[in-house]
Amino acid sequence: SSVRGEVVFSDVYFSYEENGNEVGDTLEEISFTANPGETIALVGPTGAGKTTLIQLLSRFYEPSRGTITVDGRDIRTIRRDSLRSQMAFVLQESFLFQGTIRDNIRFGRLDATDAEVEEAAKLANAHSFIVRMPGGYDKVLGADGGGISQGQRQLLAIARAILADPSILVLDEATSSIDTVTEIKIQEGLQWLMQGRTSFVIAHRLNTIRQADKILVLKEGRLIEQGSHEELLRRHGFYHSLYHG
Ligand code: GTP
Ligand code: MG
């Protein structure tokens, strides 16, 4: 049927509450459209509201005003588990648990066969490091995924997301240093993963930002600019000043 993964924010506001009191708007007047398959980069200073915006999309929090739709449906009318199954998250602190590597990847889709788990790991560029470890896919990771490197965790998170096959992907790009070889593997795995899916990337790498279909520039909870890299540079606004330091 039709391509999926359209996301529309219409005049969305959000405030955190502390001791039952709202603490002022964290996000104000957020409106944008992510077309199916587009890559949307979220940029802006620390505290601008990038993570909060993503948490509204997954209904971890609810907007105080405005609506968010996915494929034309208000997300408040979509069951949480159904909404979550349309999304996959590759975060800096990917939530690995105590268990085998195989089960950690399978968490993306619990009914996946061993062959499907390994296929996803191959597409994510994770297979080669897994089979080189003692135990391979049956190696047991410690609590919090202890026993593997930061870069390897990301490769496992990518494999898990490929297995989940979501229409919407949320990616929080690593800021910590990852060795060049692993970084290339991650980028290749991500390229495969992001193809044909709507991707929201909290972006730190300039390359990712430049290649995005749309950049959302957040500042103090407001969406102050949106457009492609070239469009935003031409405006000589906040993005231009970020980009030129
Ligand atoms: P970085 O990840 O540092 O780049 O920032 P961000 O753009 O992701 O900002 P984030 O959405 O995390 O925060 C936006 C604003 O909300 C900031 O002023 C935060 O201090 C505030 N904030 C974030 N989480 C909470 C929370 O759980 N409670 C409260 N009261 N405020 C929060
Ligand atoms: Mg954040």
Side-chain angles (χ1 to χ4, degrees):
S1 62
S2 58
V3 193
R4 295 174 311 129
E6 183 203 57
V7 175
V8 180
F9 274 57
S10 305
D11 206 23
V12 168
Y13 285 68
F14 174 74
S15 307
Y16 285 104
E17 281 181 17
E18 264 169 23
N19 313 316
N21 299 315
E22 293 194 349
V23 293
D25 287 330
T26 300
L27 288 174
E28 294 177 64
E29 263 192 294
I30 306 290
S31 297
F32 67 86
T33 297
N35 296 309
E38 279 187 341
T39 298
I40 309 294
L42 297 169
V43 303
T46 181
K50 305 179 293 292
T51 299
T52 307
L53 190 154
I54 290 309
Q55 288 176 319
L56 293 178
L57 178 60
S58 61
R59 287 193 74 201
F60 189 74
Y61 296 119
E62 305 285 349
S64 46
R65 246 178 79 183
T67 53
I68 302 169
T69 64
V70 169
D71 295 322
R73 285 183 63 190
D74 187 327
I75 61 171
R76 284 171 295 195
T77 70
I78 306 175
R79 277 177 37 205
R80 270 197 176 71
D81 54 347
S82 161
L83 185 71
R84 300 256 160 85
S85 72
Q86 294 178 52
M87 300 179 185
F89 294 80
V90 179
L91 307 177
Q92 287 187 34
E93 293 301 315
S94 52
F95 51 110
L96 298 175
F97 51 82
Q98 187 160 15
T100 63
I101 286 188
R102 192 187 304 283
D103 285 345
N104 266 281
I105 296 174
R106 201 186 331 257
F107 194 70
R109 183 161 60 80
L110 294 175
D111 64 359
T113 64
D114 286 358
E116 287 170 330
V117 167
E118 292 186 24
E119 177 63 21
K122 282 178 185 157
L123 291 169
N125 266 335
H127 180 76
S128 58
F129 97 77
I130 295 170
V131 295
R132 266 189 276 108
M133 294 199 308
Y137 282 89
D138 295 316
K139 178 185 166 72
V140 176
L141 302 178
D144 290 331
I148 56 171
S149 74
Q150 187 78 39
Q152 290 170 337
R153 280 166 197 239
Q154 291 209 5
L155 292 173
L156 291 186
I158 292 166
R160 180 190 280 176
I162 287 174
L163 195 59
D165 193 22
S167 54
I168 297 167
L169 187 71
V170 176
L171 179 69
D172 198 351
E173 225 170 37
T175 44
S176 57
S177 58
I178 286 171
D179 69 90
T180 314
V181 175
T182 308
E183 182 59 34
I184 290 168
K185 287 187 173 171
I186 290 172
Q187 289 311 319
E188 284 176 1
L190 283 177
Q191 242 161 46
W192 206 93
L193 174 60
M194 288 163 71
Q195 235 168 69
R197 310 178 203 280
T198 308
S199 306
F200 291 87
V201 188
I202 298 180
H204 305 292
R205 298 168 69 253
L206 192 58
N207 252 351
T208 313
I209 300 170
R210 295 177 73 137
Q211 286 166 18
D213 295 295
K214 194 174 285 166
I215 301 164
L216 304 181
V217 185
L218 286 162
K219 189 186 177 200
E220 294 169 11
R222 289 180 170 270
L223 185 49
I224 58 167
E225 292 171 1
Q226 55 177 304
S228 69
H229 176 72
E230 284 74 23
E231 285 164 357
L232 292 182
L233 280 187
R234 274 200 297 271
R235 290 179 56 146
H236 285 269
F238 186 67
Y239 181 79
H240 186 273
S241 68
L242 278 182
Y243 182 72
H244 288 283

